Amino acid sequence: MYLATTGRPDAPPAPSGVRRRVPGTVLALGTVSLVTDVSSEMVTAVLPLYLVLGLGLSPLQFGLLDGLSSGATALVRLLGGATADRGGRHKAVGGFGYALSALSRLGLLLAGGATGWIAGAIGADRLGKGVRTAPRDALITLHSPPEDLGRAFGAHRAMDTTGALLGPLAAFALLWATADAYDAVFAVSFCVGTFGVLLWVLLVPGRARNPLAVPAPAPRPRGGLLSALRSPGYRRIVLCAGLLGAATIGDSFLYLLLQRRLDFDATWFPFLPLGAAAVFLLLAVPAGRLADRLGRRAPLLYGHGALLLAYGLLLTPLPDTVVLLGVLALLGLFYAATDGVLMALTGPFLTEGRQAGGLALVQTAQALARLGAAVAFGAVWTATGPETALVAALVALAAAVGCSARLLPRGLATPAETPERTD
């Protein structure tokens, strides 16, 4: 297994022909994410059903809650990243985020049908995710060779997606066994989330295991969290993350559109994320390896192209089975080609001691943009119908992909690059 020193730009490359292993810390982080995703996806799989079909929320109300769950924690993301970078406290800050998300399940359990309490519980869960995501991804960056970041993120995302597959299955089994008792789903989700926090404490190293292999700390970068924006390449990545996020509607909306078109029994709704998660699981590692070999820019663009096709497929008169399988497959391909690849593209542009904060800024730009996209899509759906809203989203995504194709930096940066370099 790699030691923490493999993330250093001066680390010697592996001998030619030797198969490199995924760093042990990445596998530990993947294990925690797997368990935590079982907990979170149990709730995510049933929440649209619970809110829209159970409590009778309108698409606009659901859009507001969905936007809150993905974008209202922007400042917390930045604060979590900056705090984690200060003194290398990635484990402590990430652990707090995991614990907060686990506790949010109790909020859902106690909320009943009160929309305000549900919104508060969702907000607490997203606060936890906002706090933990950048420190976790920074640990992946710090413990992986720069040339293998796509592979490392792909392996982590594959383990994470395994949890995304198991979570809806567990939710469906509980709903079937308890005659649609959503409280049972929330209670079990809390227990599983708490186990994930315990694994974080036990498995994830707080610092390098071999202190003799760690170089002396570099001088603290000046200019605060936004100093990374001096790099034109990094600025373009942040801008493109925002552009693409603003044209990306939430998965829950896609699943609701599928349910509306196919008109299947609502009991089967929790199974919809399984198809996309299965494709994501199969393609995450190959997509990461391909990104390392050919460059990370192209997979990111092609992944959003797959999402564009998914939007278009929902508007076609093709048979329902073709639409269902096609949308789920394209959605899984989208995540495999973009989720970890965006972080792998960003990491080498960040200086030592700014990894968590720099990644958090990209994630924040994307989250804020998706917040606006969710609210706008819900509003257009409520006012004019789902077809018009979907056409608008398709046009916006096509424009965003075209702009990003011109703006994204080409080639690989290294942490030692001067801020003026773009490629």
Side-chain angles (χ1 to χ4, degrees):
M1 296 296 180
Y2 279 108
L3 297 174
T5 54
T6 55
R8 294 166 44 198
D10 58 343
S16 177
V18 175
R19 183 179 178 83
R20 295 187 291 265
R21 297 181 180 180
V22 176
T25 298
V26 175
L27 296 178
L29 292 166
T31 302
V32 174
S33 293
L34 188 157
V35 173
T36 302
D37 234 37
V38 171
S39 171
S40 63
E41 291 301 323
M42 286 179 66
V43 174
T44 301
V46 303
L47 202 57
L49 188 67
Y50 178 58
L51 296 177
V52 176
L53 301 182
L55 300 183
L57 269 64
S58 71
L60 175 57
Q61 290 173 311
F62 178 74
L64 288 169
L65 287 177
D66 189 59
L68 171 67
S69 71
S70 62
T73 58
L75 294 179
V76 176
R77 287 175 183 266
L78 294 175
L79 181 62
T83 303
D85 282 334
R86 191 176 298 116
R89 292 179 288 188
H90 301 95
K91 180 173 181 177
V93 175
F96 173 77
Y98 279 104
L100 185 58
S101 289
L103 290 173
S104 73
R105 312 293 185 244
L106 287 180
L108 288 172
L109 189 61
L110 299 174
T115 305
W117 282 98
I118 292 172
I122 294 174
D125 176 49
R126 296 302 91 179
L127 281 172
K129 184 171 183 178
V131 167
R132 73 176 184 255
T133 301
R136 181 202 66 198
D137 286 350
L139 285 171
I140 296 175
T141 301
L142 290 167
H143 286 260
S144 305
E147 68 275 10
D148 284 342
L149 278 176
R151 178 195 188 99
F153 275 102
H156 174 269
R157 292 328 193 238
M159 297 179 72
D160 183 88
T161 306
T162 302
L165 277 169
L166 297 176
L169 286 174
F172 177 81
L174 280 170
L175 289 177
W176 177 79
T178 60
D180 295 338
Y182 291 97
D183 285 354
V185 175
F186 300 149
V188 174
S189 174
F190 166 70
C191 294
V192 176
T194 302
F195 181 57
V197 175
L198 179 62
L199 290 178
W200 175 274
V201 173
L202 295 178
L203 298 182
V204 177
R207 53 182 58 86
R209 296 182 183 221
N210 181 6
L212 296 178
V214 180
R220 182 178 177 81
R222 298 180 179 179
L225 177 61
L226 300 181
S227 61
L229 290 172
R230 295 173 183 170
S231 164
Y234 178 74
R235 287 201 303 270
R236 294 177 187 179
I237 293 174
V238 174
L239 176 59
C240 290
L243 285 173
L244 294 168
T248 303
I249 63 175
D251 298 353
S252 297
F253 272 125
L254 290 179
Y255 299 145
L256 286 172
L257 287 168
L258 281 172
Q259 197 276 336
R260 180 180 179 276
R261 171 165 176 165
L262 276 63
D263 195 27
F264 53 78
D265 191 293
T267 307
W268 296 97
F269 191 89
F271 277 103
L272 286 179
L274 296 181
V279 176
F280 187 5
L281 175 61
L282 290 174
L283 297 182
V285 174
R289 289 176 177 172
L290 187 65
D292 287 337
R293 180 176 301 178
L294 302 180
R296 294 153 191 167
R297 177 179 175 275
L300 186 66
L301 294 172
Y302 289 141
H304 283 88
L307 184 63
L308 189 67
L309 291 176
Y311 290 178
L313 199 57
L314 283 166
L315 296 168
T316 65
L318 293 173
D320 289 345
T321 302
V322 174
V323 173
L324 174 64
L325 296 179
V327 168
L328 296 180
L330 289 167
L331 187 60
L333 175 59
F334 161 68
Y335 280 113
T338 62
D339 190 10
V341 171
L342 176 60
M343 296 296 98
L345 174 66
T346 306
F349 284 90
L350 301 173
T351 56
E352 187 69 25
R354 293 296 182 210
Q355 286 90 351
L359 293 175
L361 191 57
V362 173
Q363 293 162 356
T364 297
Q366 186 179 64
L368 284 175
R370 288 183 176 179
L371 167 61
V375 175
F377 187 84
V380 176
W381 182 343
T382 301
T384 62
E387 288 78 13
T388 302
L390 194 55
V391 169
L394 189 150
V395 173
L397 182 57
V401 171
C403 291
S404 298
R406 297 182 60 87
L407 292 173
L408 281 172
R410 301 174 182 272
L412 262 180
T414 66
E417 276 187 318
T418 59
E420 288 73 26
R421 289 231 5 220
T422 60
D423 328 323

